[in-house]
Amino acid sequence: MSENPPRTELMGSSEFTNHHLGRTLEVRNLVKSFKVGSESFGKAERIKAVDDVSLFVPAGTTMGLVGESGSGKSTIARLICRLLEPDSGQVLVDGDEVTAGTKIPKGYARKVQIVFQDPTASLNPRWKVRRLVAEGIRVHGLRSRSETKERVAELVSLVGLPEHALDRYPHEFSGGQRQRIAIARALAVEPEVLVLDEPVSALDVSVQAQILVLLQELQAASGLTYLLIAHDLAVVERFCDEVAVIESGRIVEAGDPEIIHSRPEHPYTKALVEAHPVPDPHERTMYVHAQDKAEVAE
Amino acid sequence: MTKFVLKRLAHTVIVLLGVSVMVFFLIRYLPGDPLDVLFTQGSGDEVTAADDLAEGRRRFAEGIGMVGSLPSQYLNFLSEIVQGDLGTSIFRRIPVSTLIATTLPLTLQLAIAGQIVNILLSLPLGIVGALKQNSIWDRGGTAFALIGTAMPNFWQGIMLILIFAVWWPILPVSGVMDLGLSVEHITGIPIVDAFVTGNWPAFWSIIRHLILPAITLGASASLVRILRSSLLEVKHQDFMDAYRARGLRERSVTSHMMRNALPTTVVIFGIRLGAIIGGSVVVETVFAYQGMGWLLINAINQRDYPLIQGIVLTFTVFTVLANLLSDIVHGWLDPRVKVEAKT
Amino acid sequence: MSDTDDLVRIADAEDVDVTSDAALLGEQPTRSWVVMFAFAVVAIAVFTAIFAPALAPHDPTAQSLVDRLQPPGTADHLLGTDAIGRDILSRIIYGARLSLGAAFLVATLTSVLAVSVGLISGYFGGWVDTVIMRIVDIWLAFPGLILAIAMVTALGRGLDKLVLALVLAGWAGMARVVRGETLQLREREYTMSARVLGVGKIGIMFKHLLPNIMPTILVITALDIGSTILGLASLAFLGVGIGSEVVTWGSMLSEGRNYISTAWWVALFPGLAIFFIVLAVNLVGDWVRDRYDPRSPFRRAKLDAATRKAAEEQEAASVRDAATAGGGG
Ligand SMILES: Nc1ncnc2c1ncn2[C@@H]1O[C@H](COP(=O)(O)OP(=O)(O)OP(=O)(O)O)[C@@H](O)[C@H]1O
Ligand SMILES: [Mg+2]
């Protein structure tokens, strides 16, 4: 694991540089099917939501996963996070298997975290931000009480929220801010891999860019490995090092985002590209650099 | 539809089996040994001499099927109840099934009479409430239901007795019909038998005896709120506006409304039936109406366990079957249910 | 929630679902003066129950054959006396203790049992859920009062056993509702997020799911207390599980019935007491539902957009429940 690329030390925080060596994420021949329809008379039909999917995401890079609704993207995300048991196949983080069997050593739970599409639903409405962000630290007993407090404040400012956010409930925030809280919560356990399941598609277009920029900054600072799920090829293209296109549970095409976008080979990919017309390259750059943090100001 | 009914039937069979297990254990896990309770306190007239005790005990244990291992006891119990054999009453020395056969028709007669009162009150109140929402009638109906719900019906019964039998004595207060009258046994339901045989004195007497208990049982107008709200639900659905827009007269809009609100009402009616049956225990006790509920309270006071067991079982089976029936009717009236059952 | 049934938890799962959803449509919140009245009655009753010894003019069990069956308004006996000369007012005051105390205890214990069972069933799912839900179906198959009577018969006489019997007879309906909510919340992203963070099952159930189910539990409990009071009174009236050894409104009524032709007051006043307290408790229950039930339109109007979405999802789900109500899930 020493082949990991050297990491820039933007964060200045020693934890980040020492423990946050973003590692590889590997998925091997993952299969998952679901029962559908009536079970009453014995013969339930099954659909393969994920059908023999393999992916390799090098440390500190971002892999985009694109496909239309129902193609199995979220199912892959859930399999990676052990929210679902695969029928077969493995998920390896940093070479260690994280999906085998039912009992996973607690330490592994820290390696992969997930950010969901709907930030409203992903934060317990009855908890204040402080407790939400601290939960992971507490569960794993990572720090003492006072250190936890400090660390939570640090995380909240890291994701660009003001300190007074700590004592508020999720409903007091905008969608973009809630997504920042969700990110801080995931980062609290110092994961190596972050699965982002359409993290911006529930947000206003103007806010989407801010969140993507934040994620990019975090990656640059700590070398996190991302699996970014989207149904919009355009979002993925400007943000990812590599892209995989999924149709009905199967990866149909993978490779460089620019190439896939400009010269899609698979008919499905072509259809996807046509569904989202190529934005002007110039405009695209501006989009990424739009670091308007107005919404954070309060 | 057939599939839905089959599924529902299968479910009912499972539930009934469960009910039988529960009743079986309830009686067997009485505090301490029910036999001890019975035979040390000497509450039975047959246990006076000490040497009779062992014999009485044994006979009793056999009588309620408490010999052998638990599973075999249960299987015996089950096979007996399937054949309609519910054991023998300890104190009456009559088969429990015979006792139930004579009291159940009375309870049914009362429950139906009570439900008729309920519907007679609820229907107009609920419909007017929904049509003239928030009118004085609507508020009055809601208040009526609220009061009816809070009023303990044993008290209601006693107050009715006070008014119609003590202060203004026009109605009988206890029993099924006047002493000295009797009806030929045909269906077992006295009011029907009296009617069929043209026994008018008995028929009127039965009706007069039914009035107060039926009012007590049904006057809570428990259906008002449910009826009103299911009507309102339909009233506010888009398709109702569409009807209105198409120029349907308000009268036929109303009839559409009723038809669409029917399924929900049927289900609630079925669920309520269990409640009505429970309520009959209290009402029968107040009016000394010799139905199954009255018999149950007697059996409890006499610690007549086989009888208690038989009555509890019968009450429950009836409720379950009523629910099954209302579900099937509901499924038949409301196509959405079938779709749900499939998924 | 109860009528003829008189008993507890007839307000079972279906009832709560079907009525609280549908019944609310187009219904207006209870007028505020009515709510005030209800709270006042409950407050007075609670006060009376607590300070019974100080408030009661007589010993509720003191007999006096000279003073038997005195009509109301007699000197010293405001509400008259019963057949053995006991002061009815004092007995009603003491009776409040049992009515409210036992009902409160039953409601609390029932919630605890129902919530534990419902949470476990909903969260663990699989065969655990199947088994528990079958048991719930069986429980709900019994008419409420009949089940309570059977339980009391099995457990024996005494106040403690009566409370236990009512709890054992009444948990199933609420357990089903809690289980339904748990099933929904289990699939919420915040639950999954906690799982990914490594929070254990117990932690998720008690820290994440329970607080979010609390409003529903509160609403059901509030709606159930009235029928619990009626249930206790019914059993006392029938003399099942508890007799006249304890001062209860139900047993007073049962005694009063025998003197109805000569002394109407013996039966009238305890009945009025039950009626008013149940009416008030039910009104308070409705008020609680209007305020805290996420499905209530009165509350929905006040919710912010985000919570509204969640409420609508729940609504959709419970309409589905309602459609299959009694279909046994
Ligand atoms: N728990 C489940 N039970 C049954 N079927 C499921 C389950 N979860 C997902 N599916 C099915 O698996 C398929 C893939 O679903 P998935 O949620 O992974 O799609 P997705 O690509 O994330 O879609 P979207 O873009 O809409 O989020 C769908 O057909 C879905 O219906
Ligand atoms: Mg998805």
Side-chain angles (χ1 to χ4, degrees):
Chain A
M1 316 309 108
S2 50
E3 309 90 21
N4 283 309
R7 220 148 267 101
T8 41
E9 292 191 27
L10 276 188
M11 244 57 226
S13 151
S14 59
E15 275 85 17
F16 261 89
T17 41
N18 294 339
H19 301 297
H20 263 253
L21 303 175
R23 311 283 176 150
T24 56
L25 166 67
E26 192 177 355
V27 168
R28 285 191 201 147
N29 310 100
L30 218 48
V31 177
K32 179 73 188 177
S33 58
F34 290 111
K35 264 187 272 191
V36 286
S38 144
E39 287 177 56
S40 55
F41 291 98
K43 42 171 205 288
E45 283 173 53
R46 298 187 78 89
I47 56 151
K48 272 196 177 171
V50 173
D51 189 0
D52 196 22
V53 166
S54 298
L55 291 169
F56 181 79
V57 193
T61 67
T62 302
M63 162 80 83
L65 185 60
V66 203
E68 60 179 15
S69 187
S71 54
K73 307 181 299 289
S74 295
T75 308
I76 293 182
R78 277 160 203 205
L79 288 168
I80 292 176
C81 297
R82 307 170 318 280
L83 286 166
L84 289 172
E85 275 301 307
D87 298 344
S88 64
Q90 296 141 302
V91 175
L92 305 156
V93 173
D94 190 14
D96 290 328
E97 171 139 12
V98 294
T99 59
T102 44
K103 194 76 193 163
I104 296 139
K106 231 182 176 182
Y108 284 136
R110 294 172 47 197
K111 292 197 171 184
V112 187
Q113 284 301 312
I114 185 164
V115 174
F116 293 101
Q117 173 175 3
D118 181 357
T120 305
S122 61
L123 301 171
N124 186 339
R126 306 200 163 258
W127 284 25
K128 287 183 178 167
V129 171
R130 186 188 298 283
R131 194 172 169 203
L132 284 166
V133 175
E135 184 171 32
I137 305 176
R138 294 234 174 85
V139 167
H140 295 280
L142 298 180
R143 278 154 216 264
S144 71
R145 200 174 264 268
S146 61
E147 281 174 340
T148 304
K149 209 172 165 187
E150 255 169 53
R151 176 68 181 151
V152 168
E154 197 180 305
L155 283 163
V156 163
S157 79
L158 188 65
V159 296
L161 288 173
E163 205 180 319
H164 57 74
L166 285 170
D167 291 306
R168 305 213 168 164
Y169 288 98
H171 70 260
E172 300 174 58
F173 295 90
S174 71
Q177 288 170 320
R178 284 180 209 173
Q179 200 58 298
R180 289 172 193 269
I181 299 169
I183 293 169
R185 189 169 142 82
L187 291 181
V189 293
E190 296 153 26
E192 300 174 353
V193 172
L194 210 50
V195 177
L196 305 157
D197 189 356
E198 309 203 33
V200 296
S201 36
L203 305 178
D204 286 349
V205 180
S206 61
V207 183
Q208 291 188 351
Q210 296 167 6
I211 297 295
L212 288 173
V213 166
L214 170 68
L215 288 168
Q216 257 175 341
E217 284 175 357
L218 290 169
Q219 187 175 45
S222 58
L224 281 160
T225 303
Y226 289 159
L227 179 68
L228 175 67
I229 293 170
H231 52 249
D232 177 355
L233 202 53
V235 169
V236 169
E237 190 201 344
R238 64 178 83 97
F239 189 75
C240 300
D241 303 298
E242 204 182 335
V243 170
V245 180
I246 179 170
E247 183 198 7
S248 315
R250 293 184 149 269
I251 305 284
V252 293
E253 191 167 358
D256 185 274
E258 296 275 338
I259 296 173
I260 288 200
H261 203 160
S262 49
R263 294 191 301 277
E265 280 177 9
H266 198 274
Y268 178 79
T269 318
K270 280 185 188 138
L272 268 186
V273 171
E274 275 153 26
H276 301 280
V278 194
D280 178 84
H282 183 62
E283 193 186 315
R284 214 187 306 151
T285 336
M286 284 178 49
Y287 189 27
V288 174
H289 289 288
Q291 295 198 16
D292 176 17
K293 289 197 180 173
E295 66 148 340
V296 185
E298 162 67 333
Chain B
M1 186 67 196
T2 335
K3 193 173 163 187
F4 167 69
V5 173
L6 282 178
K7 215 176 148 179
R8 213 37 207 83
L9 272 175
H11 180 255
T12 303
V13 170
I14 295 174
V15 165
L16 286 179
L17 274 176
V19 165
S20 73
V21 172
M22 212 167 125
V23 170
F24 174 81
F25 277 106
L26 269 180
I27 300 305
R28 247 138 280 248
Y29 278 88
L30 295 167
D33 187 343
L35 304 182
D36 284 342
V37 177
L38 266 174
F39 289 91
T40 49
Q41 297 182 352
S43 47
D45 49 328
E46 69 215 73
V47 276
T48 37
D51 23 322
D52 277 356
L53 218 72
E55 167 61 12
R57 217 187 139 104
R58 197 195 54 74
R59 200 145 44 85
F60 177 76
E62 242 167 40
I64 70 169
M66 282 182 61
V67 281
S69 72
L70 264 190
S72 81
Q73 280 185 34
Y74 173 71
L75 287 180
N76 269 335
F77 170 74
L78 191 63
S79 81
E80 279 171 12
I81 57 176
V82 167
Q83 294 162 32
D85 177 4
L86 294 166
T88 305
S89 159
I90 304 173
F91 291 91
R92 291 160 209 254
R93 317 258 179 131
I94 299 174
V96 169
S97 50
T98 311
L99 286 167
I100 287 176
T102 52
T103 51
L104 178 63
L106 291 171
T107 297
L108 282 180
Q109 173 178 298
L110 176 58
I112 291 170
Q115 201 60 320
I116 289 173
V117 172
N118 194 351
I119 291 170
L120 285 180
L121 280 171
S122 300
L123 217 58
L125 286 175
I127 293 172
V128 171
L131 291 181
K132 303 231 179 325
Q133 202 181 337
N134 298 325
S135 66
I136 185 139
W137 290 104
D138 184 20
R139 294 206 165 270
T142 308
F144 188 88
L146 211 61
I147 289 170
T149 305
M151 190 138 17
N153 51 20
F154 44 94
W155 182 61
Q156 203 176 315
I158 294 171
M159 291 300 114
L160 285 174
I161 292 176
L162 181 63
I163 296 168
F164 293 104
V166 177
W167 289 347
W168 185 31
I170 53 164
L171 287 169
V173 295
S174 73
V176 177
M177 62 184 114
D178 289 335
L179 285 172
L181 290 173
S182 68
V183 290
E184 209 178 315
H185 183 99
I186 298 172
T187 59
I189 302 174
I191 193 164
V192 176
D193 293 349
F195 186 80
V196 173
T197 53
N199 186 349
W200 303 118
F203 184 73
W204 287 120
S205 177
I206 292 167
I207 290 208
R208 278 162 49 80
H209 278 83
L210 259 178
I211 294 176
L212 291 184
I215 291 178
T216 309
L217 202 51
S220 58
S222 60
L223 295 174
V224 172
R225 288 176 96 176
I226 296 150
L227 198 68
R228 175 182 174 279
S229 56
S230 51
L231 283 170
L232 275 178
E233 193 180 0
V234 176
K235 187 179 175 181
H236 293 298
Q237 268 165 13
D238 297 342
F239 67 83
M240 294 308 300
D241 289 336
Y243 283 134
R244 284 193 198 93
R246 264 195 268 141
L248 253 77
R249 273 173 306 124
E250 203 52 39
R251 160 111 38 105
S252 52
V253 172
T254 306
S255 86
H256 269 286
M257 197 165 119
M258 307 285 272
R259 209 171 313 146
N260 281 288
L262 197 60
T264 320
T265 315
V266 167
V267 167
I268 311 277
F269 190 84
I271 294 167
R272 284 278 150 200
L273 229 92
I276 292 266
I277 286 179
S280 71
V281 176
V282 173
V283 174
E284 286 178 6
T285 305
V286 173
F287 291 95
Y289 202 87
Q290 291 102 350
M292 222 165 49
W294 170 84
L295 187 63
L296 175 63
I297 300 303
N298 268 313
I300 287 172
N301 290 334
Q302 296 163 339
R303 296 166 189 255
D304 194 338
Y305 294 120
L307 189 52
I308 298 173
Q309 179 175 277
I311 294 174
V312 168
L313 202 62
T314 310
F315 266 132
T316 309
V317 170
F318 249 81
T319 314
V320 170
L321 294 181
N323 274 335
L324 173 70
L325 200 68
S326 83
D327 264 8
I328 291 175
V329 173
H330 182 228
W332 176 57
L333 292 172
D334 186 349
R336 275 178 309 177
V337 181
K338 277 170 270 170
V339 178
E340 286 299 332
K342 266 186 208 148
T343 48
Chain C
M1 298 263 73
S2 112
D3 49 288
T4 38
D5 45 322
D6 279 85
L7 198 69
V8 223
R9 291 353 98 126
I10 302 288
D12 60 27
E14 283 98 327
D15 262 34
V16 171
D17 276 6
V18 175
T19 50
S20 73
D21 273 56
L24 283 167
L25 270 159
E27 227 170 78
Q28 294 195 341
T30 319
R31 298 242 160 126
S32 56
W33 68 265
V34 177
V35 176
M36 294 280 279
F37 158 79
F39 270 101
V41 171
V42 172
I44 291 171
V46 170
F47 183 82
T48 309
I50 294 173
F51 297 104
L55 292 172
H58 295 274
D59 176 350
T61 53
Q63 307 178 7
S64 161
L65 291 180
V66 196
D67 290 329
R68 65 192 299 266
L69 295 177
Q70 293 291 310
T74 325
D76 218 23
H77 297 294
L78 194 58
L79 300 182
T81 59
D82 70 7
I84 45 176
R86 294 173 297 194
D87 181 50
I88 291 180
L89 177 61
S90 305
R91 288 176 73 73
I92 287 181
I93 289 174
Y94 271 90
R97 295 198 137 182
L98 181 105
S99 277
L100 299 183
F104 183 77
L105 199 62
V106 170
T108 313
L109 294 177
T110 304
S111 315
V112 170
L113 181 61
V115 167
S116 320
V117 173
L119 268 178
I120 289 172
S121 187
Y123 188 69
F124 284 91
W127 66 267
V128 176
D129 183 41
T130 310
V131 168
I132 293 179
M133 280 306 112
R134 282 297 147 271
I135 293 175
V136 164
D137 284 344
I138 291 162
W139 238 258
L140 292 177
F142 288 86
L145 185 64
I146 301 290
L147 183 57
I149 288 176
M151 289 284 179
V152 173
T153 315
L155 290 172
R157 293 174 79 84
L159 195 51
D160 49 342
K161 288 169 187 149
L162 183 65
V163 167
L164 184 63
L166 283 174
V167 172
L168 289 179
W171 60 274
M174 190 174 181
R176 186 191 269 180
V177 176
V178 171
R179 177 252 184 190
E181 297 260 302
T182 308
L183 277 183
Q184 285 172 29
L185 296 184
R186 184 178 74 164
E187 299 305 321
R188 278 284 153 78
E189 279 91 338
Y190 64 76
T191 314
M192 295 203 268
S193 143
R195 274 169 65 194
V196 176
L197 277 175
V199 182
K201 291 188 160 137
I202 304 289
I204 286 177
M205 281 196 277
F206 288 97
K207 289 188 189 161
H208 290 278
L209 301 180
L210 187 58
N212 286 288
I213 299 172
M214 233 30 221
T216 309
I217 297 169
L218 185 70
V219 169
I220 301 177
T221 307
L223 290 174
D224 265 3
I225 288 189
S227 29
T228 307
I229 295 175
L230 278 179
L232 277 163
S234 300
L235 292 177
F237 174 78
L238 295 170
V240 176
I242 188 170
S244 47
E245 69 274 10
V246 187
V247 184
T248 68
W249 295 340
S251 60
M252 288 173 74
L253 256 169
S254 158
E255 288 158 15
R257 179 176 49 146
N258 304 324
Y259 301 93
I260 193 68
S261 52
T262 51
W264 49 268
W265 55 90
V266 186
L268 178 74
F269 294 117
L272 274 182
I274 301 176
F275 169 64
F276 275 108
I277 192 67
V278 173
L279 182 64
V281 164
N282 283 351
L283 284 167
V284 170
D286 285 351
W287 178 83
V288 169
R289 177 195 59 196
D290 295 347
R291 252 185 109 89
Y292 295 105
D293 190 343
R295 286 169 288 209
S296 157
F298 315 132
R299 177 169 157 76
R300 212 179 306 149
K302 292 179 212 140
L303 295 180
D304 62 329
T307 334
R308 194 179 308 152
K309 194 179 142 212
E312 276 159 10
E313 278 166 27
Q314 269 182 357
E315 180 124 304
S318 51
V319 166
R320 250 182 284 125
D321 285 353
T324 47

